[in-house]
Amino acid sequence: MPPRTDGWRPLACLAGLLLLAGCASQPDAGVPPEPPRRQLSELSSDADEANPILIYDPIERTNRGLYKLNARVDEAILLPVVDTYQEVTPSFLRRRVSSFFLNLGEVGNFTNAVLQLRPKKAGQTLVRFALNSTIGLLGLFDVASEAGISRQKEDFGQTLGYWGVPEGPYLMLPLLGPSNLRDGVGRVMDSFVLNFDVVPDVVDHSDGYEVAQYGLRPIDVRYRTGFRYHQTGSPFEYQLVRFAYTQARRLQILQ
């Protein structure tokens, strides 16, 4: 069953964000900071609630190194490629590319919705895939969204979380970004076990499709990802990203 929620956790999360924002501000020179009037630990005996930004990160030093590596690769390679892609490709064509690859991803969304025994989400995803693959010309046009059928993003990490598998230690994956042990296993399962191929063989084995799959698709993913390293305005960006990722995944599992 999905993890239980309680009323204190949102307040604790908000307190954590306020702490990060407060730490990001610069104190006046020569004025010693005032100690906090009350500690969060006084309000709750639960360690997670008393320190809501604390995420289990036993290999933090390694993760921080990978975070810096990812930022450098992103700045030196990925973002320049994405910028060039935006300059040479009309927005209409970029939307078609994104729509096509997102439609292929509906297969994984459907499979994981079934594994979570969520028939409504599975049915909605199946209808989306059928509409976009036919009327939408193999997914080039997202007619399902225009008809009010929203996309249901599901992956195997969410499926494991839905059935009570703990998230495990926080991980920073090379090139892939923030994750945890459970989501890392989920990525492997989604990529190699649940990646049912719905593309006809004549297309799947063509050079053009392989270029699109392994060349254009990663560019499209980065193009659709709004996050930029070192632009959060916080000197504690690593902790902020770690906290935001973990909370976002917990909310996705609850939905």
Side-chain angles (χ1 to χ4, degrees):
M1 295 298 292
R4 180 179 62 83
T5 61
D6 57 52
W8 165 249
R9 190 173 297 277
L11 179 60
C13 295
L14 177 60
L17 287 174
L18 292 175
L19 281 173
L20 284 171
C23 291
S25 62
Q26 298 297 322
D28 294 336
V31 179
E34 295 183 2
R37 294 180 180 178
R38 300 189 66 182
Q39 299 291 336
L40 285 172
S41 57
E42 299 175 17
L43 304 176
S44 173
S45 59
D46 189 296
D48 291 339
E49 292 174 348
N51 192 353
I53 64 171
L54 182 62
I55 305 296
Y56 182 48
D57 188 0
I59 57 170
E60 182 173 344
R61 177 175 295 183
T62 301
N63 285 336
R64 283 181 177 274
L66 289 172
Y67 188 87
K68 293 179 180 176
L69 173 66
N70 288 348
R72 290 172 181 168
V73 172
D74 194 59
E75 182 179 6
I77 300 176
L78 297 181
L79 290 183
V81 171
V82 169
D83 291 341
T84 303
Y85 173 64
Q86 288 183 267
E87 290 177 3
V88 303
T89 310
S91 60
F92 173 82
L93 185 57
R94 293 199 301 270
R95 289 197 298 272
R96 303 289 78 75
V97 170
S98 297
S99 180
F100 175 78
F101 287 124
L102 287 173
N103 189 55
L104 290 181
E106 297 287 18
V107 178
N109 294 336
F110 171 78
T111 304
N112 281 292
V114 170
L115 292 176
Q116 295 173 30
L117 303 182
R118 287 174 158 170
K120 184 178 180 180
K121 282 191 171 185
Q124 190 169 330
T125 301
L126 185 60
V127 171
R128 276 186 55 85
F129 183 73
L131 284 176
N132 288 340
S133 299
T134 53
I135 301 175
L137 303 179
L138 301 179
L140 292 176
F141 294 87
D142 187 3
V143 295
S145 292
E146 295 177 3
I149 306 173
S150 59
R151 187 166 182 261
Q152 305 295 317
K153 178 72 177 69
E154 300 290 344
D155 56 56
F156 197 71
Q158 290 173 255
T159 298
L160 292 175
Y162 179 83
W163 291 110
V165 177
E167 58 200 18
Y170 179 76
L171 298 175
M172 180 58 63
L173 301 179
L175 303 180
L176 298 177
S179 184
N180 54 49
L181 182 59
R182 181 189 61 206
D183 290 347
V185 173
R187 280 178 178 270
V188 174
M189 289 293 292
D190 283 324
S191 299
F192 299 104
V193 180
L194 302 178
N195 185 24
F196 301 111
D197 198 352
V198 295
V199 179
D201 287 344
V202 64
V203 177
D204 193 20
H205 295 117
S206 66
D207 293 339
Y209 182 75
E210 289 189 356
V211 170
Q213 177 73 359
Y214 300 108
L216 185 57
R217 191 169 194 171
I219 297 173
D220 175 65
V221 171
R222 189 63 187 99
Y223 163 69
R224 288 188 282 105
T225 304
F227 175 76
R228 296 293 183 269
Y229 288 94
H230 307 316
Q231 292 190 7
T232 61
S234 171
F236 305 99
E237 182 172 286
Y238 175 84
Q239 295 95 320
L240 185 61
V241 169
R242 183 178 62 185
F243 174 76
Y245 172 81
T246 302
Q247 293 301 318
R249 291 295 289 173
R250 290 172 181 173
L251 288 174
Q252 288 171 353
I253 291 169
L254 291 175
Q255 291 175 349

